[in-house]
Structures are given as C-alpha cells and as structure tokens.
Amino acid sequence: MGVSGAGKTTIGQKLEKEIKYKFLDADDFHSQSNKEKMRMGIPLTDEDRMPWLESLRDAIKEFLINKKGLVLGCSALKEQYREILRSGDPDYRLQSYASAVNFILLDAPAEVLIARLNKRAAEGKHYMPASLLQSQLDLLNIDESEGILRVDATLSPESIVNTIKEMHPFQGCFQS
C-alpha cells in the first residue's frame, strides 16, 4: 500500500515472481471515469472510490476462498478503505484488525515520490499527475493499532522484496 509513486506495481510484480502469488494492480480496477478524473488532476471522492474498493474486496475474497496467495498493490489510504479490503476475509470482524489481509506501507519522502511521478509522467507511463500527490498524502492515515508494516521505499526493489519476505507475519509463508 501507499501513495502514487511509492512503488506498489514494481514491488508487486517482483513479489509475484519471487513468491509465486498472483499480483493484482488496483489501478486496473478503476472505472474509466475515475481514471479520467485523475488524468485531469481531480482527486477522487469516497463516493468515486466505493465501487472500486468493493471490486477489490471481492477479488480478495475470491483468492482467500480458493486458498490462493495474492499480492494487491493498492493505495489503501484510509482506515475505512482498509476495512473494506479486510472484509474480503470471510472470517474478519470489523475493526478487529485480525485478518488474513495484511498491509505493508511502502514509505518514501514526498520529494522522492514527486521525482518518481514526474519521471513516470514524462515517459507516459501513468494517468495520475504529480499534482494529485498532495491530496493522497493528506488522506493517508494510519492508526498504529492496525498493525500495518512499513518498508522504506527508497531502498532498491530487491531489498524491499527481501525485507517483506523476512517480515514476521510472512516467515515460512513463501516458497521461493
């Protein structure tokens, strides 16, 4: 999880190869109208995000029911959004934070994120402009009681993947 430019897609794709879990990019689940709003520099509202979050929750549920591993690259900026995603776990009790769905924040300073977004925009690789970064940073809200893990997203992608594989909740989960 993390704001735009944190490396969710890069790390998710590398994790998919390393741990043999399917990677889904939440950006692929956005409606065309959401993508157009973002392309025009208009921040999404909770109302815009709700169908998107519900489709992500349903994808999570399908993987869990079928006992398949999943890595989902998603901003998951607010606790309310993460609760929707956690509810993809059929056994989840709201606000217990005890779920088969875990979150890892790819954490980087704003300057690093802006540089990444500007590079990506110059290469024509993404629809979200750097001008929307501040709105995401403003929305990002993490309560320590949620138990969200953090990784320094300024590390090399290989180091980030290795760090994630060594994190306590995942020890022994992945077969390389």
Side-chain angles (χ1 to χ4, degrees):
M1 68 171 276
V3 298
S4 194
K8 297 179 299 290
T9 301
T10 299
I11 301 308
Q13 290 170 341
K14 286 189 172 300
L15 278 167
E16 180 177 49
K17 288 180 183 148
E18 284 266 333
I19 65 175
K20 312 295 187 244
Y21 279 24
K22 176 72 175 163
F23 170 67
L24 297 178
D25 191 329
D27 287 345
D28 296 338
F29 288 72
H30 272 298
S31 66
Q32 198 56 43
S33 61
N34 279 4
K35 289 178 184 178
E36 282 305 314
K37 277 182 94 167
M38 288 185 278
R39 192 179 318 323
M40 293 186 299
I42 302 168
L44 298 180
T45 64
D46 284 350
E47 186 177 328
D48 294 326
R49 287 185 177 95
M50 217 42 64
W52 171 68
L53 289 162
E54 289 166 351
S55 66
L56 294 171
R57 176 204 58 212
D58 294 346
I60 291 168
K61 186 176 208 167
E62 181 181 329
F63 274 82
L64 288 173
I65 287 170
N66 292 309
K67 301 196 182 312
K68 298 205 183 277
L70 174 65
V71 173
L72 174 65
C74 179
S75 52
L77 299 172
K78 293 169 63 176
E79 190 261 353
Q80 169 192 357
Y81 305 163
R82 292 186 293 276
E83 280 293 274
I84 293 168
L85 298 176
R86 283 184 191 101
S87 71
D89 175 353
D91 298 323
Y92 183 64
R93 285 187 356 268
L94 285 178
Q95 296 190 317
S96 69
Y97 305 134
S99 174
V101 179
N102 292 284
F103 294 92
I104 301 170
L105 175 65
L106 298 176
D107 204 5
E111 311 78 58
V112 171
L113 298 166
I114 290 167
R116 289 178 182 176
L117 291 175
N118 287 334
K119 179 177 187 279
R120 197 163 70 178
E123 296 169 350
K125 291 188 174 177
H126 204 271
Y127 51 82
M128 186 166 147
S131 61
L132 285 180
L133 177 62
Q134 191 59 53
S135 69
Q136 285 197 329
L137 290 170
D138 291 345
L139 273 181
L140 182 61
N141 184 4
I142 296 174
D143 183 323
E144 293 305 315
S145 67
E146 287 186 78
I148 293 173
L149 305 167
R150 292 177 185 253
V151 176
D152 179 352
T154 65
L155 299 172
S156 71
E158 294 75 19
S159 294
I160 293 170
V161 167
N162 288 333
T163 299
I164 290 169
K165 286 169 54 180
E166 294 302 316
M167 290 180 150
H168 176 73
F170 308 115
Q171 289 179 350
C173 290
F174 312 127
Q175 305 305 316
S176 296

